[in-house]
Amino acid sequence: GGYENVIPGFNEIMRVTSYMNLGIPSAILSRGITGVYKNRCVVMNLPGNPNGVKECLDCVVMVIPHALAQVRTELKGVVAWSQKVGHGKSLSASA
């Protein structure tokens, strides 16, 4: 499957950063996506050029710990609900 939750803000700011800071007009055509995969990790598309990767990561790196904490919190909530309704044997909150 694909992403359980898409996090559009990451790629929105990366597109703006590429456009404004790197002077890459085609950045607005980017279809990059960031999301939560299998309720366990955050996966993001990055540009193909090393300068673009650095510039884009610099603009989102401070938010990554918060995004991971959100994934863990949401997963724990899903596990608690699942255990409450009797389905908790197949889920883990170890994320």
Side-chain angles (χ1 to χ4, degrees):
Y3 297 112
E4 283 76 25
N5 295 302
V6 174
I7 309 170
F10 275 76
N11 290 92
E12 290 169 8
I13 195 68
M14 286 191 273
R15 275 187 283 279
V16 169
T17 296
S18 293
Y19 180 80
M20 300 296 286
N21 295 357
L22 299 174
I24 302 172
S26 61
I28 62 174
L29 301 174
S30 167
R31 293 173 296 185
I33 188 168
T34 297
V36 178
Y37 181 69
K38 294 193 176 187
N39 289 322
R40 298 190 54 85
C41 63
V42 175
V43 177
M44 74 177 71
N45 295 102
L46 294 167
N49 124 0
N51 290 335
V53 170
K54 182 187 179 322
E55 190 81 23
C56 288
L57 281 178
D58 285 348
C59 73
V60 297
V61 70
M62 68 286 213
V63 183
I64 292 172
H66 179 71
L68 293 172
Q70 289 291 106
V71 170
R72 289 184 188 106
T73 299
E74 289 179 21
L75 181 57
K76 287 178 184 175
V78 168
V79 170
W81 173 84
S82 181
Q83 290 172 340
K84 184 176 179 180
V85 297
H87 298 288
K89 293 184 177 86
S90 64
L91 295 174
S92 169
S94 62

